[in-house]
Amino acid sequence: INIPHKKITSICCIGAGYVGGPTCAVIAQKNPHVKVTIVDLNAGRIAAWNSDNLPIYEPGLDEVVKTARGRNLFFSTDVDAGILEADLIFVSVNTPTKIKGIGAGFAADLGYVESATRKIAQVAKSNKIVVEKSTVPCRTAQSMRHILEANAPPNIQFDILSNPEFLAEGTAISDLFYPDRVLIGSLDTESGRSAAASLADIYAGWVPRDQIITMNLWSSELSKLAANAILAQRISSINALSAICEATGADIDEVSYACGLDSRIGPKFLKASVGFGGSCFQKDILNLVYLSESLHLPEVATYWKQVVEMNEYQKRRFTNRVISCLFNTLTGKKIAVFGFAFKKDTGDTRESPAITLVNYFREEKAYISIYDPKVEESQVWMDLTEPGVVDETEAVKRQVSIAANPYEAASGADAIVICTEWNDFRDTVLDYEKIYEGMKKPAFIFDGRLILDAKKVEKIGFKVETIGRPRST
Ligand code: NAD
C-alpha cells in the first residue's frame, strides 16, 4: 500500500482471550521490533498468560508465546499503561449476546467494547489507530468514533479500522500463520487509508501482500458476520439433509462427498453432526437477525434465524434417537458422554452441543459420566449450573460425574454418546473391546460426530447409531 503512513512500533491489545492472546502473540513473534502488550482486567487470566500453564489450549500456542514473551510480548493488567504507550490498539474484548431487555437473545451486548473505547478516550495522550478485532455489528466503528470524539482531548486524532479475526479455535495458530485473507476496513479518507497501510505493514511481517485486503469499513464489519453465517448455514444444510438420510437409507457421508466434489460447493464444512457450537456462530447469526430486523427486513431475519433453529432441532432429534433406542426411557440409566468441548483440540465449551445434550439426559433422569481430554472439571459444573440457583451444583453432581478416562466413563454404562470429534475417541485409538466388556448389554454407541467405523465397532457387539444413517436397531 504505497501511501505515506506511520510505522507502528508499539501495539496494545485490550482483551487477552481466545482471539487477543493468540493473534497478538503471533504478531509479536513475527514483528520482533514491535512491542506488543496484551492487557486484560482479569488478573487470573493475565497471571496464566505469564505462567507455563497458559489460560487456553491451542496446538502450537506454547511455542509462539515462549519465543516472544519477555522479548517484545508482554501480558499485563495495567490497561492504562498499555494504551498510553501504543500507536495502535486492538479492541479484542468479548461481544456476547444480550441476555436481558429489548433485543435480548439476539442483539450483541457491546458494553465491553464501549468501556474499552471509553478507557482509550480517557487515557490517550497522543494519536491512536484503534482497531476493532472483536466481531461487532455493522457500523459499530461509528459508535466508537462518537465515544472517542466526545471524550478525548480535541487535539488527539483517532483512526478506526475494522480488522475482523477469522481464526478457528483448535487451529488458531496455523490459521494465523497461513490466513486465507486478512481484512482491513477503513474510511475512504487520506488518514483512514494511511492507518490501514500502517496495520497492513504489521501483517506483511508474514502474510503475502496480495492476501491483505483493504476495503470500506462497513463491508469489513459485515463480512465477518456474513462469513460465520454462511459457514453455519452449510452445517445446518447438511444436518437438515442428515434427517432425510436417516429416513430413506441414504448415507450422509456419501451425500456430502458427492456434493463436495462440485467445485462450486467444495468439500469443507459439509460434515454432519449433532450440531455446531462455539461462542461465535449462533451469536453472529443472531446478530445478523437483529440487524435485519432493525433495518425492517423481516424476511431476511427469518431466513438467517432458520439456521439456528435447524441447529437446535438437530440436538433434539439426536436426543430423541438416543431415548427411543434405549427403550423409550433413560430413567436410572448411565450414559457416557465422550467429549464436552464444542469441537476437538480446544478446551472451550461455550455453546457446546454437549451441554444441551447432558441437560436433556438429566431431564430424562439419566446418570451421566463425562470424559473430555481438555475441559476442566470446574468448567463442566459452571456450564451445567443455572447462574444464581443455590445448591444447583450439588443437584447436578447427584446425576453427573466426571471420569478420568473414557474407560471409566463407559464402565457400567448403557450407552456412549460421542459429542466431540477428539481423535482420542477414534476406533483406531481407543480399545473399544475393553470398553464393551465393561458396559451393560446391549451396549449402544451414538456417534454424533461420524468418527467411528461403524461396521468395525459393530463386530465387537456394539449397537451403533450414527447421525445421517438409518437406525440399525
Ligand atoms: P474472550 O471472552 O475469550 O476474551 C475477551 C477478554 O476481554 C476477556 O478476558 C475479558 O476479561 C477482556 N475484557 C473485556 N472487557 C475488557 C476491558 N474493558 N478491558 C480489558 N479487558 C477486557 O473472548 P474471545 O473468544 O477472545 O472473543 C473476542 C472477540 O473476538 C469476540 O467479539 C468474538 O466474537 C470474536 N471472535 C472470536 C473467535 C473465537 O474463536 N473465539 C474467533 C473470531 C472472532
Side-chain angles (χ1 to χ4, degrees):
I1 302 169
N2 300 322
I3 53 169
H5 58 274
K6 185 178 164 64
K7 197 167 160 42
I8 303 297
T9 56
S10 179
I11 290 177
C12 170
C13 174
I14 305 180
Y18 287 87
V19 168
T23 306
C24 286
V26 167
I27 286 178
Q29 192 206 39
K30 301 289 188 184
N31 291 276
H33 303 299
V34 177
K35 181 176 177 188
V36 178
T37 308
I38 306 179
V39 297
D40 203 296
L41 298 172
N42 182 334
R45 218 167 196 186
I46 289 298
W49 279 111
N50 281 319
S51 76
D52 287 338
N53 194 11
L54 300 185
I56 61 177
Y57 170 71
E58 274 297 337
L61 178 62
D62 280 22
E63 291 73 38
V64 173
V65 171
K66 270 186 203 140
T67 331
R69 194 173 56 192
R71 180 190 71 182
N72 65 324
L73 173 65
F74 303 91
F75 295 93
S76 168
T77 50
D78 193 343
V79 179
D80 291 22
I83 293 171
L84 263 178
E85 197 182 0
D87 313 312
L88 181 147
I89 302 165
F90 284 108
V91 176
S92 186
V93 298
N94 32 334
T95 49
T97 305
K98 197 171 162 187
I99 50 173
K100 279 197 182 141
I102 293 171
F106 291 103
D109 176 351
L110 292 175
Y112 300 95
V113 173
E114 180 186 347
S115 58
T117 312
R118 284 187 185 278
K119 191 76 178 162
I120 297 170
Q122 181 201 331
V123 171
K125 293 209 170 4
S126 57
N127 296 349
K128 308 281 177 201
I129 298 174
V130 178
V131 185
E132 291 173 340
K133 185 51 104 176
S134 299
T135 304
V136 289
C138 204
R139 295 200 82 86
T140 299
Q142 193 172 359
S143 312
M144 290 170 76
R145 168 168 304 286
H146 290 153
I147 294 174
L148 293 168
E149 287 177 355
N151 293 286
N155 58 331
I156 299 181
Q157 182 187 323
F158 294 99
D159 284 294
I160 303 180
L161 300 175
S162 157
N163 173 224
E165 185 48 61
F166 293 98
L167 67 77
E169 286 176 35
T171 52
I173 297 301
S174 68
D175 292 345
L176 288 164
F177 280 173
Y178 309 105
D180 290 338
R181 75 303 206 190
V182 169
L183 275 197
I184 302 178
S186 71
L187 285 181
D188 194 13
T189 59
E190 200 177 313
S191 84
R193 284 192 298 272
S194 156
S198 296
L199 180 58
D201 274 357
I202 294 292
Y203 285 105
W206 77 101
V207 180
R209 281 279 179 182
D210 60 354
Q211 279 166 245
I212 303 173
I213 315 293
T214 51
M215 60 173 64
N216 143 344
L217 194 49
W218 322 120
S219 307
S220 172
E221 286 181 337
L222 186 58
S223 296
K224 172 64 194 177
L225 293 183
N228 269 358
I230 291 169
L231 288 169
Q233 180 204 42
R234 276 173 78 97
I235 299 177
S236 279
S237 297
I238 208 73
N239 282 343
L241 290 164
S242 77
I244 298 179
C245 290
E246 288 165 34
T248 56
D251 180 323
I252 194 64
D253 268 348
E254 292 180 348
V255 175
S256 298
Y257 178 63
C259 294
L261 286 174
D262 186 323
S263 60
R264 293 167 302 176
I265 298 175
K268 290 187 182 164
F269 256 69
L270 283 183
K271 185 89 179 161
S273 71
V274 63
F276 59 75
S279 64
C280 292
F281 281 177
Q282 174 164 321
K283 159 176 91 66
D284 293 350
I285 293 176
L286 293 179
N287 214 302
L288 208 51
V289 170
Y290 186 75
L291 186 68
S292 311
E293 279 174 351
S294 44
L295 296 170
H296 307 292
L297 301 167
E299 289 81 2
V300 180
T302 305
Y303 175 78
W304 288 112
K305 211 187 286 179
Q306 202 54 39
V307 172
V308 173
E309 283 174 8
M310 180 53 63
N311 199 48
E312 294 306 311
Y313 171 66
Q314 188 76 345
K315 289 183 268 186
R316 285 199 304 277
R317 219 170 59 74
F318 190 56
T319 305
N320 280 332
R321 186 155 168 194
V322 174
I323 297 170
S324 80
C325 288
L326 291 177
F327 318 102
N328 267 338
T329 175
L330 299 188
T331 305
K333 290 185 175 143
K334 179 176 172 184
I335 311 283
V337 168
F338 280 13
F340 202 71
F342 82 91
K343 65 193 262 200
K344 73 171 181 177
D345 294 336
T346 176
D348 194 354
T349 60
R350 292 178 289 179
E351 305 293 338
S352 176
I355 300 173
T356 314
L357 263 62
V358 169
N359 282 332
Y360 283 147
F361 298 154
R362 284 180 57 213
E363 274 173 39
E364 295 293 317
K365 301 193 171 49
Y367 292 106
I368 301 114
S369 182
I370 300 171
Y371 171 70
D372 188 287
K374 281 285 176 246
V375 175
E376 303 280 344
E377 186 167 335
S378 55
Q379 186 62 49
V380 175
W381 302 133
M382 255 193 303
D383 289 336
L384 295 178
T385 307
E386 284 275 325
V389 180
V390 183
D391 288 342
E392 169 84 350
T393 310
E394 287 315 308
V396 173
K397 283 182 180 174
R398 280 196 284 279
Q399 259 182 295
V400 183
S401 60
I402 312 288
N405 56 59
Y407 303 99
E408 185 186 312
S411 167
D414 298 81
I416 294 168
V417 177
I418 299 178
C419 288
T420 314
E421 71 281 24
W422 285 103
N423 286 341
D424 312 40
F425 304 146
R426 289 190 182 276
D427 47 70
T428 44
V429 178
L430 263 193
D431 182 348
Y432 276 96
E433 292 194 12
K434 184 171 156 193
I435 286 183
Y436 183 75
E437 277 166 29
M439 288 179 65
K440 276 213 193 120
K441 312 292 179 320
F444 287 85
I445 299 184
F446 297 91
D447 185 357
R449 293 284 177 177
L450 286 154
I451 59 169
L452 295 182
D453 177 344
K455 288 209 173 70
K456 181 174 155 192
V457 185
E458 272 162 358
K459 273 198 196 126
I460 300 172
F462 280 107
K463 306 232 169 278
V464 182
E465 298 293 329
T466 305
I467 293 249
R469 284 182 210 143
R471 259 182 77 164
S472 61
T473 50

